[in-house]
Amino acid sequence: MADKILFYPIDVTYKIENEKAVIYLFGRTAEHKQVCVIDEDFKPYFYVVPKKGNEVEEKLLKIKVEKDNVISEVVKTEKVKRHFLGKDIEAIKVFVKLPRDVPVIRDVVKDWEILDNVTEYDIRFKKRYLIDKGITPLQAVEAKGDFITKQLRVPVLKADKIEPKGEDVLENPKILAFDIETYNPNGKSMDMENNPILMVSFYGQKFKKVITWKHFKTDLDYIEFVKSEAELIERFKEIVNEQKPDIITGYFSDEFDLPYIQARANKYKIKIDIGLDFSELNVKKSRRITSDIIGINHLDIFKFIKRIMGSSIDVSSLSLNSVAAELIGEKKVEVDLENLAHVWDKKPEELEIYCEYNLKDSLLTYKLAEKMLPNIIEMVKIVGMPIPEIGRVGFSQLVESYILKQAPRFNELAPELPHHRELMKRNTQTYQGAFVYEPKPGLYKDIMVFDYRSLYPSIISSHNLDPGTLGCNCCEGKKKVPVEGKDYWFCSKKKGFLPALIEDLITRRVRIKEIMKEKSSPLMEARSLSLKLLANSFYGYLGFPMARWYSFESARSTAAYGRFYIHKVIDEAQKAGFNVLYSDTDSVFLSLDGKTKKDANHFQEKINMELPGIMELEYEGFYPAGIFVSAKMGKFGAKKKYALLSKEGNLKIRGFETVRRNWSPIAKKVQENVLNIVLKENKPKKAMDYTLKVIDELRNNKIPLKDVIIYTQLQKEIDDYDAIGPHVAIAERMRQKGMPVGPGSRIEYVITKHGTKIRDKAKLPSEVSQDDYDPDYYINNQVIPAVEKIFEVLGYKKEDISEHKDQDKLSKFF
DNA sequence: AAAATTCGGGG
DNA sequence: GTGTACGAATTTT
């Protein structure tokens, strides 16, 4: 008797069993029980496109490659009709036995003269399965088959039939947040090899716990004591196994918590075998680290927020503290973390507060994941990527995943990923980008801002820009793209594949916006945001060298049309008598100059009447005052650097860099204080006085040495550096002195008066005394750069800060 | 201007 | 592993 279940897949993987590729779909049933559905009937394949008139199937079937006693061969071929970059073609599906045979066979045929193209050999097997079966992670799937016995942590159904079932999404996935605290006497620099994990916390819907291995008196019942770090790690595993989360989440856990746990477990030869198939936590180190668990979605909520939400939330830093404050209105427990190592060693009776801190971090992480869940789910639904990937990949890959998912619906064949040669070629291709109107530096009143709604997506859609519509025969000589010196045209008869997809995104979003006018919800907001982000990423995708559907001409033409349309607004605004202050890509800043808001709105309406298709110029806002600042060296206005004062009295500041950690504490401190005085108290003079006071103290070497120490982290072996920066020179000196230095070491140095190059002026803090540091360097290269942009906004010049040593001369500026 | 390097998040 | 992947800012040359 076969069983039938409805379930929601969470994680997909495959294994080779008995010389067969077996797909594993881990998920929850409609009854919220964990399950794994396996499918043994999916065959790997790729496509070849024969040149016209060539019969290639027989030849393909003869291929046999033997390597290391493994034989790869073609199992089956199948003629199919497909679209490919605007053409109707006949392709051949080439089936092989195992996924690993695909690249082997592809290697054999890649240079065959009788083929026009070989493609889709580079789509990962998991992805191939999801695309072909029409399965979207988290969305309902019906499977028929029999439950069988298998060595897994969950029941297994071997499917005979498997198909998506409606738009339904997994309700209430079980989220478990966790966080570790580590022994860390050296502040920011971390040493997984030598410093143990001191505590780990969990937070779930009805679950909270902190585990630590040093005993102290406490009444907090969620604290659990174990005897050693090794036991703590064992408990970590047990708890994950008991809790059975669908999603395990942490803040930067991809690159910190999970790799740390793994590194410490290695020390004790403990296997983190928490996968639902008993496989180990998989920490992969490439440029960025990823940590995955089979059957459980590991969600690094920091990465998701940074990538996907980054542009739509307004925080100065993406630390857990500020993000949580902004999104859920809660902050971390306030505690001196620098002191944890000391307390751990010397005053364990004071550890309780650190446990509370540890738990709160998990709680905040949990709440963030919960809050972001609609956004995460919507993105998963649209692009068809599983949760862990969503936050890790760039927008280009989100776009590509979406395109690949949609391809079967349009019967489109995917182009191959570019290889080395092609990639090099693409990397050299450049074209003129967006238009930026350089502002005249200064203070302005009554500013109206307009911008094009989704300028690039609407251009791609309205002008049908696509690699497959480029240079068609039917439209030759008709409508040309405004690219100087080039003869580009795109088909105006047949809708391109990518424009069709963009249009889909746009119309879906318009529909949602309509519904939202009646009644909004976090889900609607999330859906709308995902659709918008994706549509907005298409332009970047077209010009992204790694893209399958890369199209230099389409990207270039998009930018060209963009310039055309923004120039139209600028020109007409000037003709109508407005003063155009600034413009960047898709927005225009006008000062009213005696005209009224009504005039401006009228102007906007006139523009909109003349625009084609779905293009629209929108009203962004009105600002009573605003300042555009000058570029670094002065005479021209800087691009993308301005500050606006909103009607509500908030400052909207764009383009001012925030101070990074390799600045001296004094520079950070001054910038922070100046920002506070200026933004919160609105007292420029006070800020200036304060800055001048600090500069004066610097000049007289009165600022304590600890405030002029600069910290930089060494990224690689000292000898591997080509460019010797100050920190490299210092690292070298430390090595000569017999101090331990290597990648990851925190290098501290002070810039002194002696020497010419910065690297010669750098000295170890222990080698210098109060009078040695170089006031000029700290004034001109640290403090002034940290605040000059801010003061420029307020109407000061750099010279106002640096050249007037006594404060009397400054009074004239007020 | 181009090439090299670092930071961010995490303690 | 169905050859893979950060992105922006900053400093040095």
Side-chain angles (χ1 to χ4, degrees):
Chain A
M1 227 335 240
D3 288 291
K4 183 169 96 175
I5 64 165
L6 188 72
F7 80 111
Y8 303 87
I10 288 166
D11 189 33
V12 202
T13 188
Y14 78 94
K15 292 175 198 291
I16 306 302
E17 287 166 9
N18 306 322
E19 291 295 291
K20 227 179 184 184
V22 183
I23 289 282
Y24 283 63
L25 292 164
F26 291 91
R28 289 260 177 206
T29 65
E31 296 76 36
H32 226 70
K33 294 270 188 297
Q34 281 186 305
V35 72
C36 177
V37 173
I38 65 169
D39 186 345
E40 299 185 348
D41 297 326
F42 190 69
K43 295 269 177 308
Y45 68 89
F46 66 102
Y47 289 98
V48 300
V49 182
K51 285 204 169 99
K52 268 235 151 57
N54 279 295
E55 277 303 326
V56 300
E57 280 172 287
E58 238 171 80
K59 210 174 160 200
L60 286 165
L61 287 164
K62 280 192 198 131
I63 297 173
K64 197 170 210 178
V65 182
E66 194 179 336
K67 211 178 112 193
D68 306 329
N69 280 334
V70 178
I71 295 172
S72 300
E73 54 194 341
V74 176
V75 189
K76 193 175 80 171
T77 57
E78 189 185 324
K79 273 202 178 96
V80 290
K81 290 190 190 309
R82 293 281 185 269
H83 297 303
F84 185 64
L85 301 179
K87 292 193 184 70
D88 290 315
I89 56 153
E90 204 159 83
I92 291 164
K93 252 175 133 169
V94 182
F95 289 89
V96 294
K97 205 158 90 181
L98 297 174
R100 67 154 183 261
D101 298 327
V102 170
V104 176
I105 305 295
R106 179 256 165 185
D107 239 16
V108 174
V109 304
K110 69 171 189 235
D111 296 322
W112 282 10
E113 295 278 331
I114 46 174
L115 300 180
D116 261 337
N117 197 11
V118 180
T119 194
E120 298 207 7
Y121 55 85
D122 46 14
I123 295 174
R124 293 217 298 275
F125 192 55
K126 288 192 245 185
K127 180 81 182 164
R128 168 93 287 158
Y129 183 81
L130 294 179
I131 294 172
D132 286 23
K133 293 281 177 181
I135 294 173
T136 306
L138 307 181
Q139 250 177 226
V141 172
E142 186 182 85
K144 283 182 197 153
D146 300 290
F147 278 96
I148 59 167
T149 326
K150 231 179 203 311
Q151 263 305 94
L152 293 190
R153 293 187 194 273
V154 297
V156 181
L157 181 112
K158 180 172 174 291
D160 305 321
K161 206 172 164 222
I162 182 162
E163 57 185 9
K165 208 77 188 173
E167 303 264 295
D168 237 29
V169 178
L170 172 64
E171 300 269 343
N172 305 317
K174 184 163 180 187
I175 304 174
L176 181 64
F178 78 106
D179 179 51
I180 63 170
E181 305 302 327
T182 64
Y183 185 81
N184 205 344
N186 301 319
K188 270 276 169 197
S189 80
M190 308 215 176
D191 183 355
M192 298 194 191
E193 265 313 297
N194 298 306
N195 294 337
I197 298 170
L198 304 183
M199 46 187 79
V200 57
S201 65
F202 290 95
Y203 194 93
Q205 209 185 1
K206 285 181 209 144
F207 184 72
K208 58 180 177 180
K209 188 171 276 298
V210 175
I211 300 158
T212 184
W213 53 282
K214 186 158 275 192
H215 205 278
F216 56 88
K217 250 188 92 178
T218 176
D219 293 328
L220 299 174
D221 57 2
Y222 58 77
I223 300 179
E224 176 184 322
F225 296 100
V226 292
K227 291 204 187 64
S228 64
E229 188 192 16
E231 261 184 49
L232 177 147
I233 293 168
E234 293 289 358
R235 280 297 284 146
F236 171 82
K237 285 168 52 178
E238 283 168 23
I239 287 169
V240 175
N241 291 337
E242 287 161 17
Q243 289 294 310
K244 306 185 192 309
D246 300 315
I247 298 170
I248 187 163
T249 184
Y251 205 80
F252 204 47
S253 43
D254 236 0
E255 306 203 20
F256 181 72
D257 303 73
L258 287 178
Y260 210 115
I261 288 170
Q262 197 204 39
R264 299 306 296 174
N266 276 345
K267 265 197 126 55
Y268 304 112
K269 309 248 182 301
I270 298 173
K271 285 197 159 88
I272 310 290
D273 48 358
I274 51 181
L276 297 189
D277 59 347
F278 298 96
S279 63
E280 284 183 66
L281 164 68
N282 180 15
V283 176
K284 252 215 303 269
K285 288 180 192 157
S286 53
R287 301 279 298 272
R288 299 252 51 148
I289 304 168
T290 58
S291 306
D292 283 301
I293 303 161
I294 286 188
I296 302 174
N297 280 169
H298 170 230
L299 164 68
D300 185 336
I301 193 64
F302 157 71
K303 282 191 179 172
F304 178 83
I305 290 172
K306 178 178 173 171
R307 286 285 165 99
I308 312 290
M309 308 300 293
S311 55
S312 49
I313 57 170
D314 194 21
V315 282
S316 57
S317 141
L318 287 169
S319 65
L320 176 58
N321 202 34
S322 53
V323 170
E326 170 74 17
L327 292 178
I328 53 183
E330 275 187 74
K331 304 198 96 179
K332 283 182 164 222
V333 171
E334 274 186 48
V335 71
D336 184 11
L337 248 200
E338 298 274 341
N339 217 14
L340 172 56
H342 176 71
V343 170
W344 181 266
D345 287 334
K346 298 280 161 35
K347 303 179 195 160
E349 67 278 5
E350 289 175 23
L351 279 171
E352 189 179 73
I353 183 78
Y354 289 97
C355 289
E356 293 176 56
Y357 171 89
N358 187 209
L359 184 73
K360 185 72 182 278
D361 277 10
S362 281
L363 177 148
L364 295 175
T365 304
Y366 178 87
K367 289 196 173 175
L368 282 175
E370 201 178 32
K371 169 117 188 193
M372 289 294 110
L373 202 56
N375 295 279
I376 295 167
I377 291 177
E378 286 309 314
M379 198 50 101
V380 168
K381 275 172 63 177
I382 297 172
V383 307
M385 248 182 203
I387 286 179
E389 295 291 308
I390 290 283
R392 291 175 186 156
V393 301
F395 277 100
S396 298
Q397 285 149 78
L398 293 178
V399 170
E400 193 154 283
S401 179
Y402 169 69
I403 302 175
L404 286 169
K405 182 175 156 66
Q406 296 294 329
R409 200 154 71 82
F410 293 80
N411 205 21
E412 287 283 341
L413 205 57
E416 62 185 329
L417 286 168
H419 291 90
H420 190 66
R421 252 211 137 69
E422 172 68 10
L423 205 53
M424 299 275 275
K425 191 182 121 204
R426 292 183 183 184
N427 271 316
T428 62
Q429 292 183 305
T430 53
Y431 58 87
Q432 196 185 346
F435 175 72
V436 181
Y437 184 98
E438 297 207 346
K440 285 187 209 67
L443 179 65
Y444 300 92
K445 282 199 286 186
D446 297 337
I447 300 166
M448 299 272 288
V449 179
F450 296 100
D451 51 22
Y452 277 108
R453 183 192 57 195
S454 303
L455 177 66
Y456 286 160
S458 49
I459 287 173
I460 295 169
S461 150
S462 338
H463 294 280
N464 207 23
L465 308 183
D466 181 277
T469 58
L470 172 70
C472 63
N473 295 328
C474 51
C475 305
E476 182 156 11
K478 280 197 196 151
K479 197 171 150 195
K480 300 235 175 83
V481 173
V483 177
E484 299 78 27
K486 292 286 167 196
D487 263 357
Y488 291 162
W489 72 92
F490 291 85
C491 190
S492 51
K493 290 180 185 146
K494 237 169 58 190
K495 192 85 195 164
F497 176 40
L498 302 189
L501 292 182
I502 287 204
E503 218 168 274
D504 227 40
L505 293 172
I506 295 173
T507 50
R508 275 168 75 187
R509 180 149 185 267
V510 169
R511 242 180 286 141
I512 287 162
K513 286 267 174 192
E514 284 298 317
I515 301 169
M516 279 166 66
K517 270 187 206 154
E518 301 292 315
K519 188 168 170 282
S520 185
S521 71
L523 187 90
M524 292 287 174
E525 295 278 357
R527 188 168 299 171
S528 163
L529 179 66
S530 295
L531 291 165
K532 174 174 139 185
L533 288 173
L534 212 56
N536 283 342
S537 306
F538 263 76
Y539 162 65
Y541 177 81
L542 287 169
F544 176 54
M546 288 284 292
R548 288 174 194 271
W549 279 270
Y550 174 81
S551 173
F552 175 69
E553 295 83 357
S554 304
R556 175 185 230 174
S557 304
T558 308
Y561 273 117
R563 294 193 300 272
F564 172 81
Y565 285 112
I566 202 69
H567 273 301
K568 179 182 165 74
V569 177
I570 293 169
D571 293 347
E572 301 214 7
Q574 284 169 339
K575 257 188 255 162
F578 294 100
N579 183 14
V580 176
L581 301 177
Y582 176 65
S583 163
D584 181 0
T585 313
D586 57 355
S587 61
V588 181
F589 295 56
L590 309 174
S591 79
L592 290 180
D593 272 7
K595 292 180 152 296
T596 63
K597 280 191 197 179
K598 240 189 197 143
D599 295 332
N601 289 330
H602 186 75
F603 158 76
Q604 177 197 3
E605 276 166 31
K606 182 173 169 282
I607 294 273
N608 276 329
M609 302 258 285
E610 297 162 8
L611 290 172
I614 52 173
M615 295 195 60
E616 191 182 334
L617 187 70
E618 289 186 319
Y619 168 62
E620 197 269 335
F622 174 78
Y623 300 89
I627 291 153
F628 295 89
V629 300
S630 68
K632 244 187 190 147
M633 297 326 267
K635 37 185 194 302
F636 299 104
K639 297 177 175 185
K640 304 181 197 217
K641 277 207 173 85
Y642 59 88
L644 297 174
L645 177 69
S646 76
K647 280 175 289 191
E648 295 76 31
N650 301 319
L651 273 185
K652 183 170 172 177
I653 301 173
R654 287 294 120 92
F656 295 92
E657 59 287 290
T658 41
V659 170
R660 304 208 292 184
R661 80 166 180 238
N662 62 333
W663 285 56
S664 58
I666 189 64
K668 290 188 203 183
K669 209 189 280 181
V670 171
Q671 188 186 60
E672 194 180 315
N673 287 336
V674 164
L675 273 172
N676 272 318
I677 298 168
V678 169
L679 297 178
K680 294 200 181 134
E681 301 179 40
N682 190 24
K683 288 179 183 161
K685 181 175 179 334
K686 186 175 167 191
M688 178 56 97
D689 288 347
Y690 163 75
T691 306
L692 291 169
K693 190 172 133 256
V694 171
I695 286 173
D696 195 53
E697 287 174 2
L698 269 173
R699 188 160 276 124
N700 295 309
N701 284 71
K702 291 252 178 61
I703 297 291
L705 210 48
K706 71 169 171 51
D707 284 339
V708 296
I709 295 174
I710 298 167
Y711 308 91
T712 306
Q713 201 174 33
L714 206 63
Q715 298 287 352
K716 47 188 188 182
E717 294 294 344
I718 298 173
D719 301 321
D720 292 346
Y721 279 93
D722 294 324
I724 312 291
H727 65 296
V728 183
I730 289 297
E732 176 57 28
R733 181 135 66 249
M734 286 168 74
R735 181 163 70 176
Q736 281 165 12
K737 286 187 152 198
M739 298 161 79
V741 273
S745 294
R746 182 161 113 140
I747 310 296
E748 304 185 356
Y749 58 91
V750 173
I751 300 298
T752 66
K753 297 166 183 167
H754 326 289
T756 44
K757 285 190 172 154
I758 298 290
R759 65 170 172 242
D760 299 326
K761 289 159 79 86
K763 292 278 167 342
L764 278 163
S766 57
E767 298 173 334
V768 296
S769 60
Q770 182 67 32
D771 288 334
D772 288 336
Y773 76 75
D774 182 7
D776 287 337
Y777 177 82
Y778 286 97
I779 294 168
N780 295 318
N781 296 53
Q782 295 274 324
V783 171
I784 290 178
V787 297
E788 69 177 309
K789 300 292 186 309
I790 302 163
F791 280 118
E792 279 175 2
V793 170
L794 299 165
Y796 292 89
K797 289 285 173 294
K798 186 176 171 179
E799 296 74 40
D800 299 341
I801 318 171
S802 55
E803 283 179 4
H804 303 284
K805 294 182 186 175
D806 53 333
Q807 300 196 13
D808 297 56
K809 287 184 185 168
L810 274 159
S811 48
K812 68 179 167 159
F813 293 101
F814 303 102

